[in-house]
Amino acid sequence: MQSKMRISQLNMMELLKDPKYEGFLDEFRCKQFAKGQLISVPGSDNNDVFIVVSGRTRVYLSYEGREFTLCYLEPGDIFSTHTRAFVEASKESALMLVSAKEFRTKINEYPEFSMIMTRILGDVLGSTFDIIDGLIFHDAKHRLIGFILSWGQETGKMCPEGLKFECDLSMEDIALMIGTTRQTASSLFNNLIRNGYLIREGRNTFVISRLADLKSLLEIKDN
Amino acid sequence: MQSKMRISQLNMMELLKDPKYEGFLDEFRCKQFAKGQLISVPGSDNNDVFIVVSGRTRVYLSYEGREFTLCYLEPGDIFSTHTRAFVEASKESALMLVSAKEFRTKINEYPEFSMIMTRILGDVLGSTFDIIDGLIFHDAKHRLIGFILSWGQETGKMCPEGLKFECDLSMEDIALMIGTTRQTASSLFNNLIRNGYLIREGRNTFVISRLADLKSLLEIKDN
C-alpha cells in the first residue's frame, strides 16, 4: 500500500549537501507559494523540475470538479510541472525550480545524479502501482487502513498505548487520497476509533492501539 | 488516455544500434519464454532489467484471482522484474536480461543512456497517471473508447472507410486492461459496432468509421 507520505525515501536537500554536488543548485531559482496557490496545471507551457524546500504541496488529478490526490510532496521531494497532474501548495511552501532543459544539462554534468533520478522515478512508479492496486482490488475501508498504517509506521513512535503519530491532514484531504467522499472517509475513520483500533489523543495526534489487529484487517477480503 | 500499446515511444533495440552504445548489451543474456509462461512475480529475489526482443509480454497486478493489466511490452520496450507487478509472456517471447546491479554499472559507463532511462520512466509514470485518471473519473465505456482510439491512432491507417487497425487482443485481454468483466467489455464493444462507430472487418481487423464522433463521446459526461 502506498504511503503517499513521501514519494521517495530520498531527500534531495540532504543528498545535494554532498560536496560532489557542489554547484548543482546554482541555476535553480527560489519561489514562494501561498497556501492554496497553484504551482502547476496540466497542459501549461511550463516545463520545470522543482525541489520542495519547505511546506507541503499536493499532486492531484482533477476532472469536472472532482479531484484525486496522487501524493503529497514534502521538503526534499523532487517533481516536475510537466505532467498531467495539478500541483498546489497545501501549506505555504518554498520551492527551488529549474527548467527541464537546464536540469538535463545538470544531469550530464553530474552523471552520478542520474542514478538518483532513476531510483526516485522507480519509487514514484512503484507507488502509482500501489494506488492502482488499491483502486482496482480494494474498497475505501481497505485503502483508509492502508493509509493509516503507512502514515503511522513512517512517522510514528511506539509508546505504551501503541503507535503514536501526528497527522495534520483534514478528513477531506484523506478522502481525496483514498478516492471516496469526506462523509464516507469520516464514517470509516470513526468506525476504527469506535472499534478500538485507533485512539484520537488530540486534534492531530492519534494512536494505533491495536497495530497487529489493524494490519490483519488488510488480510481480510473486502466486502 | 493511456495507449497501453507501448509503455514508451522509445525503442531500445533501435536506440542501442547507435555506435555510441557499442558493447552496452554485452552482459545481457537471452532467454525464451513460452506463451503463458511467467517471467517475473512480485516479491521474488530476481532483480533484473530486461528488454523485449520479440513477442509480447503482459505486465499486470493480481489479487485473489483477479487481475488488472497495466501494460503490454512489445519489442524494444524495457522493464524490470523487481516491481509489484507480474510479467508473463502473452506470446512466445525472447528477452534480453541483465541484473539491476550490472545495469547500473552500464549506465555509469554510458552516461548518455541515463537520460533515456529518465525519459522512459517519465513516460511510464505518465501512463500510470492516465490509468488512475481513467479508473477514478471514468466508467468502463469511456475507458474502452479511450483504448480503441489510442490503439487505432497509434497503429492504424486511414482508408476510405475510416481508420483501419489490427488488434489481436481477445475480449478478455481488453477487459483486463479497462478493469471490467469480459461480458461488460464485450457488450460495450458490440454496442459501438451496433451504433456504427466501429466496423469489424475480420477476426482482428477493425475500422473506426466515425472517428470524430467516437472522440466526441469521450467529452460526454459518464453516466
Side-chain angles (χ1 to χ4, degrees), chain A residues 46-70:
Chain A
N46 280 359
N47 191 357
D48 288 331
V49 170
F50 66 84
I51 298 172
V52 179
V53 178
S54 68
R56 181 189 286 156
T57 75
R58 183 168 75 99
V59 180
Y60 65 99
L61 299 172
S62 177
Y63 177 76
E64 291 188 344
R66 288 186 293 154
E67 295 180 3
F68 179 74
T69 301
L70 291 166

mmCIF file of all heavy atoms in Angstrom, chain A residues 46-70:
data_model
loop_
_atom_site.group_PDB
_atom_site.id
_atom_site.type_symbol
_atom_site.label_atom_id
_atom_site.label_comp_id
_atom_site.label_asym_id
_atom_site.label_seq_id
_atom_site.Cartn_x
_atom_site.Cartn_y
_atom_site.Cartn_z
ATOM 1 N N ASN A 46 4.841 25.580 -18.994
ATOM 2 C CA ASN A 46 5.914 25.382 -18.004
ATOM 3 C C ASN A 46 6.475 23.973 -18.062
ATOM 4 O O ASN A 46 5.716 23.015 -18.083
ATOM 5 C CB ASN A 46 5.369 25.573 -16.585
ATOM 6 C CG ASN A 46 5.271 27.035 -16.237
ATOM 7 O OD1 ASN A 46 5.629 27.883 -17.049
ATOM 8 N ND2 ASN A 46 4.812 27.314 -15.032
ATOM 9 N N ASN A 47 7.767 23.878 -18.080
ATOM 10 C CA ASN A 47 8.384 22.563 -18.005
ATOM 11 C C ASN A 47 9.580 22.670 -17.071
ATOM 12 O O ASN A 47 10.725 22.757 -17.496
ATOM 13 C CB ASN A 47 8.777 22.084 -19.407
ATOM 14 C CG ASN A 47 9.181 20.626 -19.418
ATOM 15 O OD1 ASN A 47 9.224 19.988 -18.361
ATOM 16 N ND2 ASN A 47 9.494 20.102 -20.578
ATOM 17 N N ASP A 48 9.250 22.706 -15.789
ATOM 18 C CA ASP A 48 10.278 22.867 -14.764
ATOM 19 C C ASP A 48 10.399 21.608 -13.918
ATOM 20 O O ASP A 48 9.440 20.855 -13.772
ATOM 21 C CB ASP A 48 9.914 24.028 -13.815
ATOM 22 C CG ASP A 48 10.059 25.387 -14.479
ATOM 23 O OD1 ASP A 48 10.901 25.510 -15.392
ATOM 24 O OD2 ASP A 48 9.326 26.315 -14.085
ATOM 25 N N VAL A 49 11.573 21.430 -13.380
ATOM 26 C CA VAL A 49 11.774 20.432 -12.336
ATOM 27 C C VAL A 49 11.884 21.226 -11.039
ATOM 28 O O VAL A 49 12.485 22.297 -11.018
ATOM 29 C CB VAL A 49 13.064 19.634 -12.611
ATOM 30 C CG1 VAL A 49 13.428 18.759 -11.416
ATOM 31 C CG2 VAL A 49 12.896 18.790 -13.867
ATOM 32 N N PHE A 50 11.235 20.746 -9.987
ATOM 33 C CA PHE A 50 11.348 21.510 -8.734
ATOM 34 C C PHE A 50 11.621 20.616 -7.533
ATOM 35 O O PHE A 50 11.283 19.433 -7.526
ATOM 36 C CB PHE A 50 10.097 22.378 -8.505
ATOM 37 C CG PHE A 50 8.830 21.610 -8.260
ATOM 38 C CD1 PHE A 50 8.499 21.135 -6.992
ATOM 39 C CD2 PHE A 50 7.942 21.367 -9.304
ATOM 40 C CE1 PHE A 50 7.325 20.443 -6.767
ATOM 41 C CE2 PHE A 50 6.755 20.667 -9.088
ATOM 42 C CZ PHE A 50 6.455 20.207 -7.808
ATOM 43 N N ILE A 51 12.245 21.224 -6.535
ATOM 44 C CA ILE A 51 12.507 20.555 -5.258
ATOM 45 C C ILE A 51 11.762 21.344 -4.189
ATOM 46 O O ILE A 51 11.811 22.580 -4.171
ATOM 47 C CB ILE A 51 14.020 20.546 -4.949
ATOM 48 C CG1 ILE A 51 14.781 19.767 -6.032
ATOM 49 C CG2 ILE A 51 14.289 19.937 -3.568
ATOM 50 C CD1 ILE A 51 16.307 19.870 -5.914
ATOM 51 N N VAL A 52 11.037 20.626 -3.322
ATOM 52 C CA VAL A 52 10.346 21.309 -2.225
ATOM 53 C C VAL A 52 11.361 21.619 -1.130
ATOM 54 O O VAL A 52 12.079 20.724 -0.670
ATOM 55 C CB VAL A 52 9.192 20.442 -1.668
ATOM 56 C CG1 VAL A 52 8.491 21.155 -0.514
ATOM 57 C CG2 VAL A 52 8.199 20.105 -2.771
ATOM 58 N N VAL A 53 11.438 22.897 -0.756
ATOM 59 C CA VAL A 53 12.377 23.311 0.298
ATOM 60 C C VAL A 53 11.663 23.349 1.642
ATOM 61 O O VAL A 53 12.169 22.871 2.649
ATOM 62 C CB VAL A 53 12.984 24.701 -0.038
ATOM 63 C CG1 VAL A 53 13.924 25.149 1.069
ATOM 64 C CG2 VAL A 53 13.703 24.659 -1.374
ATOM 65 N N SER A 54 10.463 23.916 1.645
ATOM 66 C CA SER A 54 9.683 23.936 2.891
ATOM 67 C C SER A 54 8.204 23.895 2.541
ATOM 68 O O SER A 54 7.814 24.153 1.402
ATOM 69 C CB SER A 54 10.002 25.192 3.700
ATOM 70 O OG SER A 54 9.506 26.330 3.026
ATOM 71 N N GLY A 55 7.401 23.547 3.520
ATOM 72 C CA GLY A 55 5.960 23.478 3.307
ATOM 73 C C GLY A 55 5.521 22.107 2.824
ATOM 74 O O GLY A 55 6.185 21.096 3.097
ATOM 75 N N ARG A 56 4.426 22.082 2.109
ATOM 76 C CA ARG A 56 3.900 20.808 1.589
ATOM 77 C C ARG A 56 3.082 21.109 0.342
ATOM 78 O O ARG A 56 2.292 22.051 0.333
ATOM 79 C CB ARG A 56 3.006 20.134 2.638
ATOM 80 C CG ARG A 56 2.435 18.799 2.196
ATOM 81 C CD ARG A 56 1.388 18.276 3.156
ATOM 82 N NE ARG A 56 1.953 17.770 4.393
ATOM 83 C CZ ARG A 56 1.280 17.681 5.551
ATOM 84 N NH1 ARG A 56 0.026 18.068 5.621
ATOM 85 N NH2 ARG A 56 1.861 17.207 6.617
ATOM 86 N N THR A 57 3.275 20.322 -0.707
ATOM 87 C CA THR A 57 2.466 20.531 -1.907
ATOM 88 C C THR A 57 1.709 19.255 -2.238
ATOM 89 O O THR A 57 2.141 18.153 -1.889
ATOM 90 C CB THR A 57 3.313 20.966 -3.132
ATOM 91 O OG1 THR A 57 4.008 19.835 -3.631
ATOM 92 C CG2 THR A 57 4.322 22.052 -2.767
ATOM 93 N N ARG A 58 0.583 19.444 -2.882
ATOM 94 C CA ARG A 58 -0.279 18.309 -3.200
ATOM 95 C C ARG A 58 -0.293 18.096 -4.706
ATOM 96 O O ARG A 58 -0.438 19.046 -5.472
ATOM 97 C CB ARG A 58 -1.705 18.609 -2.713
ATOM 98 C CG ARG A 58 -2.699 17.480 -2.918
ATOM 99 C CD ARG A 58 -3.992 17.769 -2.149
ATOM 100 N NE ARG A 58 -4.804 18.783 -2.786
ATOM 101 C CZ ARG A 58 -5.861 18.526 -3.578
ATOM 102 N NH1 ARG A 58 -6.220 17.266 -3.817
ATOM 103 N NH2 ARG A 58 -6.552 19.493 -4.116
ATOM 104 N N VAL A 59 -0.110 16.839 -5.130
ATOM 105 C CA VAL A 59 -0.147 16.478 -6.551
ATOM 106 C C VAL A 59 -1.460 15.753 -6.776
ATOM 107 O O VAL A 59 -1.734 14.754 -6.101
ATOM 108 C CB VAL A 59 1.041 15.550 -6.912
ATOM 109 C CG1 VAL A 59 0.997 15.173 -8.384
ATOM 110 C CG2 VAL A 59 2.367 16.206 -6.558
ATOM 111 N N TYR A 60 -2.297 16.269 -7.661
ATOM 112 C CA TYR A 60 -3.617 15.650 -7.818
ATOM 113 C C TYR A 60 -4.121 15.703 -9.249
ATOM 114 O O TYR A 60 -3.687 16.513 -10.059
ATOM 115 C CB TYR A 60 -4.630 16.292 -6.866
ATOM 116 C CG TYR A 60 -4.930 17.760 -7.128
ATOM 117 C CD1 TYR A 60 -6.072 18.146 -7.824
ATOM 118 C CD2 TYR A 60 -4.069 18.755 -6.677
ATOM 119 C CE1 TYR A 60 -6.359 19.490 -8.055
ATOM 120 C CE2 TYR A 60 -4.340 20.092 -6.906
ATOM 121 C CZ TYR A 60 -5.481 20.457 -7.605
ATOM 122 O OH TYR A 60 -5.750 21.787 -7.840
ATOM 123 N N LEU A 61 -5.031 14.765 -9.517
ATOM 124 C CA LEU A 61 -5.734 14.761 -10.795
ATOM 125 C C LEU A 61 -7.085 15.427 -10.574
ATOM 126 O O LEU A 61 -7.640 15.357 -9.474
ATOM 127 C CB LEU A 61 -5.957 13.315 -11.274
ATOM 128 C CG LEU A 61 -4.698 12.483 -11.514
ATOM 129 C CD1 LEU A 61 -5.075 11.028 -11.798
ATOM 130 C CD2 LEU A 61 -3.871 13.057 -12.658
ATOM 131 N N SER A 62 -7.617 16.049 -11.606
ATOM 132 C CA SER A 62 -8.912 16.704 -11.462
ATOM 133 C C SER A 62 -9.702 16.525 -12.742
ATOM 134 O O SER A 62 -9.148 16.538 -13.841
ATOM 135 C CB SER A 62 -8.682 18.189 -11.174
ATOM 136 O OG SER A 62 -9.920 18.855 -11.111
ATOM 137 N N TYR A 63 -11.006 16.317 -12.578
ATOM 138 C CA TYR A 63 -11.888 16.170 -13.751
ATOM 139 C C TYR A 63 -13.277 16.631 -13.355
ATOM 140 O O TYR A 63 -13.865 16.094 -12.410
ATOM 141 C CB TYR A 63 -11.914 14.696 -14.188
ATOM 142 C CG TYR A 63 -12.839 14.408 -15.350
ATOM 143 C CD1 TYR A 63 -12.475 14.753 -16.650
ATOM 144 C CD2 TYR A 63 -14.081 13.812 -15.138
ATOM 145 C CE1 TYR A 63 -13.324 14.495 -17.710
ATOM 146 C CE2 TYR A 63 -14.930 13.539 -16.193
ATOM 147 C CZ TYR A 63 -14.549 13.884 -17.486
ATOM 148 O OH TYR A 63 -15.395 13.620 -18.535
ATOM 149 N N GLU A 64 -13.755 17.624 -14.052
ATOM 150 C CA GLU A 64 -15.104 18.146 -13.811
ATOM 151 C C GLU A 64 -15.395 18.375 -12.332
ATOM 152 O O GLU A 64 -16.416 17.915 -11.804
ATOM 153 C CB GLU A 64 -16.145 17.202 -14.418
ATOM 154 C CG GLU A 64 -16.076 17.230 -15.943
ATOM 155 C CD GLU A 64 -17.208 16.452 -16.603
ATOM 156 O OE1 GLU A 64 -17.851 15.661 -15.910
ATOM 157 O OE2 GLU A 64 -17.410 16.647 -17.812
ATOM 158 N N GLY A 65 -14.500 19.064 -11.690
ATOM 159 C CA GLY A 65 -14.745 19.445 -10.293
ATOM 160 C C GLY A 65 -14.384 18.382 -9.272
ATOM 161 O O GLY A 65 -14.324 18.656 -8.082
ATOM 162 N N ARG A 66 -14.141 17.143 -9.752
ATOM 163 C CA ARG A 66 -13.731 16.100 -8.805
ATOM 164 C C ARG A 66 -12.203 16.044 -8.755
ATOM 165 O O ARG A 66 -11.544 16.436 -9.712
ATOM 166 C CB ARG A 66 -14.292 14.739 -9.239
ATOM 167 C CG ARG A 66 -15.797 14.656 -9.019
ATOM 168 C CD ARG A 66 -16.325 13.268 -9.312
ATOM 169 N NE ARG A 66 -16.221 12.936 -10.734
ATOM 170 C CZ ARG A 66 -16.135 11.706 -11.204
ATOM 171 N NH1 ARG A 66 -16.115 10.676 -10.371
ATOM 172 N NH2 ARG A 66 -16.056 11.482 -12.504
ATOM 173 N N GLU A 67 -11.676 15.584 -7.650
ATOM 174 C CA GLU A 67 -10.217 15.520 -7.508
ATOM 175 C C GLU A 67 -9.782 14.182 -6.912
ATOM 176 O O GLU A 67 -10.554 13.533 -6.218
ATOM 177 C CB GLU A 67 -9.718 16.650 -6.584
ATOM 178 C CG GLU A 67 -9.936 18.034 -7.159
ATOM 179 C CD GLU A 67 -9.436 19.134 -6.234
ATOM 180 O OE1 GLU A 67 -8.866 18.823 -5.168
ATOM 181 O OE2 GLU A 67 -9.639 20.310 -6.584
ATOM 182 N N PHE A 68 -8.546 13.821 -7.203
ATOM 183 C CA PHE A 68 -7.941 12.651 -6.564
ATOM 184 C C PHE A 68 -6.472 12.970 -6.297
ATOM 185 O O PHE A 68 -5.739 13.337 -7.219
ATOM 186 C CB PHE A 68 -8.055 11.419 -7.473
ATOM 187 C CG PHE A 68 -7.435 10.184 -6.886
ATOM 188 C CD1 PHE A 68 -8.057 9.500 -5.848
ATOM 189 C CD2 PHE A 68 -6.202 9.720 -7.343
ATOM 190 C CE1 PHE A 68 -7.478 8.362 -5.290
ATOM 191 C CE2 PHE A 68 -5.619 8.583 -6.786
ATOM 192 C CZ PHE A 68 -6.259 7.900 -5.752
ATOM 193 N N THR A 69 -6.079 12.859 -5.031
ATOM 194 C CA THR A 69 -4.707 13.191 -4.651
ATOM 195 C C THR A 69 -3.775 12.023 -4.934
ATOM 196 O O THR A 69 -4.003 10.914 -4.444
ATOM 197 C CB THR A 69 -4.650 13.549 -3.152
ATOM 198 O OG1 THR A 69 -5.527 14.655 -2.921
ATOM 199 C CG2 THR A 69 -3.238 13.919 -2.730
ATOM 200 N N LEU A 70 -2.759 12.258 -5.727
ATOM 201 C CA LEU A 70 -1.780 11.200 -6.025
ATOM 202 C C LEU A 70 -0.749 11.100 -4.912
ATOM 203 O O LEU A 70 -0.354 10.011 -4.509
ATOM 204 C CB LEU A 70 -1.084 11.488 -7.349
ATOM 205 C CG LEU A 70 -1.970 11.361 -8.592
ATOM 206 C CD1 LEU A 70 -1.301 11.995 -9.789
ATOM 207 C CD2 LEU A 70 -2.276 9.890 -8.865
#
